Amino acid sequence: MKKIAVYFFVFLIVFNIVANVPIALASNDSEFINVRVDGEEIEVRKINVVINGQPLQSDVPPILFESRTLVPIRFVAEQLNADIKWIPETMEAKINALGKEIILKINSTDVFINGEKKQLPYEVPAKLVDSRTMIPLRFVMEELSCDVEWDSNTWTGIVNVKQQEITDILVTDNTYLPSIIVQTTGEVTYEAIELVDSNKLVIDIPNTTLNIQDETKVDDKNIFNMIVDKNPIKSIRSSQFQFNPDVTRVVIDKDEFTDYTIEHLRNGKGIKIDFTNKVKDITLDYINDKETIVIHSTKETEFNTFVLKNPNRIVLDIKNSYYESENYKYDIKTKFIKSIRAAQFEPNGEYEGTEKTVRIVFDLEEGQYTPDIKTRFENDNLLLTFNEGNTQVIEYDNNEDENITLNIDTFVESQYEIKYDVSHKILEIIIPKDDINISDGLIPINDEFVQNIIVLEEGDNKKIALLMKVDISYEDQSIANSNRITLDIRSRNSEFSDKIIVIDAGHGGKDPGTTGRISLVKEKDLNLIVAIKLQEILEDIGFRTVLTRDKDEYIGLYERADIANATDGDAFVSIHFNAHTNSEVHGLETIYCPAYNSEVKTGDNYPFAKTLHDEIVKALGRHDRGIFRRSEIVVTRETKMVAALVELGFVSNPEEERIIVTYEYLNKSAQAIADGLVKYFSEE
């Protein structure tokens, strides 16, 4: 992210339109130069590169190497606001731009795009040229949504960042600090300018036009103006700042100086601006006659707590925050706490969308049990009190044999209710508040099952919520006429939790596969329905899954195999429906590739194919056409794990097509494949 701090007042910042800059033309000259590549001095052609009409100015010229254009990696950093990192141990260059991460390795045609392994086309890898990192122009720029052309007359590579539209500007209504989302039709770059004296954040978005269709948000001059008045945002303005080349300017008026982060949206269609809190100090105070730890902050923001053992300590992570104090250890002592430590913490993906986190560690006195924590915000400060009450009422026992026991003591035999939210992995025990003596608060756990236990009063009830880390099943083992609620909680289907199944929905995008003769249904759509249903079933069982595609998109056959191999999966299933010129042909087939016909396989794939096929035939009741050994099928030949391609019926057969297009048949197909996977790995 590029930030420029400007410490003087700038007039007319938003709506000035600057004069167009003449487009410079590339030189017709093309000369040869000597460079050192792979330890040898060679002669290469020096070429021209023009981006958005402007010639590339660089002390290291672009070159033509083995008929492909290589440019200095710094070119990408300067033109697309990219974050470039060089990893000398592995000779890798990491590019982060426009929401994508591209990893190129010197002298290797392997490239990783957002973690997925691909092959560089034309077999021209990144190179060290005169000890400078040079990368293939066309591949990298096209991956970053640029158009690349070649003018052979002038030996010029022409790069144009694709023109996009800004379609909306939104403010998220978060509980704490608001976020701003600038929605676009595609990937964009940006440059942020901070005007400290006037508390403005200016974001210029090149190669874009402002095109917000909601007439309530723009005036007749196409100027966007939104009053927010939610700290730290006062208002947002936007207009077309420049034409040819087009630049849209967004100006955010703030209440006060607040740091910020900007990141690309995951779908590649826009940017998100987040504002960050500052942690200034930590003190011990007495509030309502209780010892209270006060975290002095500038804003309310999200936080997370958990327990670490040996030695016992409670960790508090404050998200979207910077640590401003120079004091990293506090000599604060209470009944439970012997000292406090604090510092800036890089979460490294632990908290999605959070770049900066302040970590505060409360070192507990030896011999003390872990106390409950009550938290609240007051004047933007986070207040924590440590209590001893709830651990007397709630007994949590991790038996370390894939189950835990939860005991809750009540005054009387209570009429309680148990709920489990599978999608959010939250187990709730709801007890009438008159039946239990328990305070609202948080009990940090942080073991392999549970993150925290939260106690909250809601109406006439007390709700005890366990925030689970894993999907679970539970059994109520409470004894009749007892004042104790006892739950046995187990990780669901842990037998398969270490198995990764790669699910491949055949065809997609420009490749529709076959088409139904009567319904005209496209095979690619049927495949995807079954694949997504299969993923749902397998994850409920306990498997981990990867989809080669989860939407209607084209993915090459070798790329599908690369996706599978990159996961280090345990099995690969490619889902298809069949067709034949003879409309009377019908039934079920399964295809596999024997290991002796594959350069990557080591084990026998027939038992896997047979297990799947038998379960599919049994469940669907259609004609059994058999199991076929074929080596020309890329996805089953090039995948390292056991693999099979299942043909779930002929859409060219009118009778079979009428059955196939029903959701009952598609769901039954997914269940049959799942049954085959369970059987195979149970007998493995």
Side-chain angles (χ1 to χ4, degrees):
M1 178 178 66
K2 186 184 291 183
K3 296 183 183 178
I4 303 173
V6 181
Y7 291 89
F8 51 86
F9 193 78
V10 179
F11 291 97
L12 304 177
I13 185 76
V14 185
F15 308 119
N16 287 346
I17 300 177
V18 301
N20 291 337
V21 179
I23 297 177
L25 298 176
S27 169
N28 288 319
D29 297 332
S30 178
E31 60 182 284
F32 286 89
I33 58 174
N34 290 327
V35 296
R36 182 168 292 277
V37 181
D38 296 334
E40 296 182 5
E41 189 169 291
I42 61 173
E43 187 179 64
V44 295
R45 186 182 290 276
K46 175 183 172 183
I47 66 166
N48 307 297
V49 172
V50 173
I51 181 163
N52 291 335
Q54 302 296 326
L56 169 64
Q57 303 293 335
S58 174
D59 59 334
V60 180
I63 63 172
L64 202 64
F65 179 79
E66 295 182 359
S67 302
R68 294 295 158 190
T69 303
L70 297 182
V71 295
I73 195 169
R74 194 178 67 184
F75 163 77
V76 180
E78 292 173 345
Q79 299 299 329
L80 297 178
N81 292 17
D83 178 35
I84 306 295
K85 184 178 181 182
W86 172 249
I87 309 171
E89 295 84 359
T90 56
M91 299 287 284
E92 291 177 331
K94 184 182 293 186
I95 303 169
N96 280 285
L98 301 177
K100 279 190 177 180
E101 180 185 75
I102 301 175
I103 300 177
L104 297 152
K105 186 179 179 68
I106 298 298
N107 294 332
S108 173
T109 56
D110 292 342
V111 59
F112 287 86
I113 310 292
N114 289 341
E116 295 183 9
K117 183 180 177 182
K118 298 184 179 182
Q119 287 290 308
L120 283 168
Y122 323 118
E123 297 187 347
V124 177
K127 285 284 184 180
L128 285 180
V129 179
D130 289 339
S131 300
R132 302 289 289 271
T133 305
M134 304 283 280
I135 60 176
L137 173 71
R138 180 178 291 275
F139 175 80
V140 172
M141 299 308 285
E142 287 183 346
E143 279 292 335
L144 296 175
S145 299
C146 297
D147 291 321
V148 182
E149 299 178 2
W150 175 252
D151 185 346
S152 58
N153 294 323
T154 59
W155 296 94
T156 302
I158 302 169
V159 181
N160 288 296
V161 178
K162 289 183 180 178
Q163 189 78 7
Q164 306 292 353
E165 293 181 350
I166 293 178
T167 57
D168 207 352
I169 300 175
L170 309 169
V171 177
T172 61
D173 189 19
N174 294 338
T175 306
Y176 302 108
L177 296 177
S179 300
I180 299 171
I181 295 176
V182 180
Q183 294 183 341
T184 63
T185 52
E187 294 166 332
V188 296
T189 62
Y190 62 86
E191 181 173 328
I193 308 168
E194 194 161 19
L195 306 179
V196 178
D197 290 347
S198 53
N199 287 330
K200 296 183 191 302
L201 174 61
V202 180
I203 302 171
D204 284 344
I205 308 175
N207 303 297
T208 62
T209 55
L210 187 65
N211 187 20
I212 297 177
Q213 296 298 312
D214 188 343
E215 295 180 354
T216 64
K217 293 186 176 183
V218 292
D219 62 19
D220 55 1
K221 295 181 180 179
N222 198 34
I223 296 174
F224 174 92
N225 198 341
M226 175 188 287
I227 305 299
V228 180
D229 280 338
K230 185 167 184 180
N231 196 296
I233 307 169
K234 292 171 65 177
S235 63
I236 307 170
R237 292 168 285 147
S238 182
S239 70
Q240 201 65 43
F241 176 68
Q242 182 176 305
F243 297 93
N244 296 323
D246 296 330
V247 178
T248 304
R249 174 163 283 183
V250 179
V251 177
I252 303 164
D253 294 299
K254 301 185 293 180
D255 291 314
E256 57 185 312
F257 175 77
T258 310
D259 214 328
Y260 64 94
T261 58
I262 303 177
E263 62 181 2
H264 289 90
L265 300 181
R266 285 191 169 186
N267 63 8
K269 295 184 177 181
I271 58 174
K272 181 182 179 185
I273 303 102
D274 283 313
F275 297 93
T276 50
N277 165 57
K278 290 184 179 179
V279 175
K280 297 181 174 181
D281 199 8
I282 303 173
T283 60
L284 175 63
D285 203 347
Y286 287 85
I287 300 175
N288 298 327
D289 296 326
K290 289 186 177 180
E291 289 182 327
T292 303
I293 304 296
V294 181
I295 313 296
H296 297 268
S297 307
T298 56
K299 305 290 173 204
E300 294 185 10
T301 188
E302 292 183 78
F303 59 89
N304 182 43
T305 60
F306 56 91
V307 171
L308 295 176
K309 298 184 180 297
N310 299 320
N312 289 348
R313 55 208 188 276
I314 294 174
V315 178
L316 170 69
D317 282 346
I318 305 178
K319 303 178 186 179
N320 292 313
S321 299
Y322 286 94
Y323 189 63
E324 198 173 57
S325 172
E326 295 182 357
N327 192 359
Y328 296 97
K329 186 169 183 179
Y330 295 84
D331 188 22
I332 293 176
K333 297 182 182 296
T334 70
K335 176 181 178 180
F336 300 101
I337 299 168
K338 64 179 180 180
S339 66
I340 301 174
R341 293 172 286 131
Q344 195 69 46
F345 173 68
E346 296 293 339
N348 293 324
E350 291 179 36
Y351 302 126
E352 184 176 341
T354 301
E355 290 185 1
K356 297 296 181 183
T357 297
V358 172
R359 172 159 288 184
I360 301 173
V361 179
F362 301 91
D363 294 309
L364 301 180
E365 291 284 0
E366 295 179 8
Q368 283 283 2
Y369 51 81
T370 304
D372 305 338
I373 306 172
K374 293 186 70 173
T375 61
R376 72 180 189 278
F377 281 103
E378 189 174 287
N379 298 325
D380 292 328
N381 296 327
L382 177 59
L383 278 54
L384 299 92
T385 55
F386 295 81
N387 307 298
E388 59 186 27
N390 290 345
T391 49
Q392 313 280 327
V393 178
I394 298 176
E395 181 183 297
Y396 177 91
D397 183 14
N398 183 337
N399 302 310
E400 299 184 353
D401 60 352
E402 298 184 349
N403 79 300
I404 55 179
T405 302
L406 182 73
N407 292 313
I408 303 171
D409 291 325
T410 59
F411 293 134
V412 295
E413 183 182 8
S414 182
Q415 297 297 314
Y416 56 90
E417 181 182 3
I418 302 173
K419 295 181 179 179
Y420 179 52
D421 183 341
V422 177
S423 59
H424 295 97
K425 297 186 178 68
I426 299 176
L427 178 65
E428 296 179 342
I429 303 95
I430 302 165
I431 305 169
K433 66 180 182 181
D434 292 337
D435 294 353
I436 190 169
N437 179 24
I438 194 169
S439 303
D440 289 3
L442 180 148
I443 305 173
I445 303 295
N446 194 38
D447 61 12
E448 65 270 32
F449 290 99
V450 177
Q451 182 68 47
N452 295 312
I453 300 175
I454 296 174
V455 180
L456 187 65
E457 183 171 316
E458 289 188 350
D460 294 331
N461 298 313
K462 286 284 188 177
K463 180 164 68 177
I464 300 171
L466 282 71
L467 308 186
M468 310 301 303
K469 291 183 177 180
V470 297
D471 190 22
I472 56 99
S473 61
Y474 68 89
E475 183 178 349
D476 187 352
Q477 295 187 337
S478 304
I479 299 172
N481 302 316
S482 169
N483 296 355
R484 169 166 281 201
I485 300 168
T486 301
L487 299 183
D488 179 66
I489 303 170
R490 294 181 176 272
S491 175
R492 179 178 289 176
N493 301 302
S494 58
E495 178 185 356
F496 305 113
S497 62
D498 62 338
K499 301 299 182 185
I500 300 174
I501 310 301
V502 182
I503 306 168
D504 176 48
H507 307 285
K510 65 182 182 181
D511 175 15
T514 189
T515 302
R517 292 189 176 183
I518 300 171
S519 66
L520 300 181
V521 65
K522 295 181 176 63
E523 182 195 353
K524 65 177 183 179
D525 298 327
L526 296 173
N527 298 339
L528 187 58
I529 292 171
V530 175
I532 291 174
K533 182 63 178 178
L534 176 59
Q535 180 186 44
E536 177 186 321
I537 295 170
L538 290 178
E539 290 186 349
D540 282 346
I541 293 171
F543 287 97
R544 296 157 63 193
T545 64
V546 173
L547 290 171
T548 58
R549 69 179 180 98
D550 59 3
K551 57 186 176 183
D552 184 18
E553 63 177 333
Y554 175 77
I555 298 178
L557 298 177
Y558 284 93
E559 184 179 352
R560 293 170 191 256
D562 288 342
I563 291 170
N565 292 335
T567 67
D568 198 23
D570 297 280
F572 177 92
V573 182
S574 188
I575 297 167
H576 289 259
F577 287 83
N578 223 331
H580 199 281
T581 53
N582 182 353
S583 63
E584 294 184 1
V585 175
H586 64 285
L588 306 167
E589 299 177 358
T590 300
I591 298 167
Y592 78 101
C593 177
Y596 57 77
N597 281 337
S598 170
E599 295 182 359
V600 298
K601 291 186 179 296
T602 57
D604 187 0
N605 281 222
Y606 176 77
F608 176 68
K610 185 177 189 308
T611 303
L612 288 190
H613 185 76
D614 289 349
E615 290 300 315
I616 291 169
V617 171
K618 181 174 69 175
L620 300 182
R622 307 301 300 168
H623 173 58
D624 182 358
R625 289 177 53 83
I627 302 168
F628 296 91
R629 184 176 63 227
R630 291 170 59 183
S631 59
E632 75 275 15
I633 306 297
V634 172
V635 293
T636 51
R637 185 188 69 227
E638 299 299 324
T639 43
K640 296 177 182 178
M641 65 288 295
V642 291
L645 185 152
V646 295
E647 297 277 9
L648 299 171
F650 283 75
V651 294
S652 54
N653 177 276
E655 178 193 351
E656 203 152 73
E657 181 188 1
R658 291 189 185 94
I659 301 171
I660 285 172
V661 297
T662 64
Y663 278 106
E664 180 184 1
Y665 186 88
L666 299 176
N667 290 339
K668 195 181 289 185
S669 298
Q671 184 63 58
I673 298 169
D675 291 344
L677 287 162
V678 168
K679 184 175 182 180
Y680 176 78
F681 285 108
S682 297
E683 297 174 352
E684 189 183 24

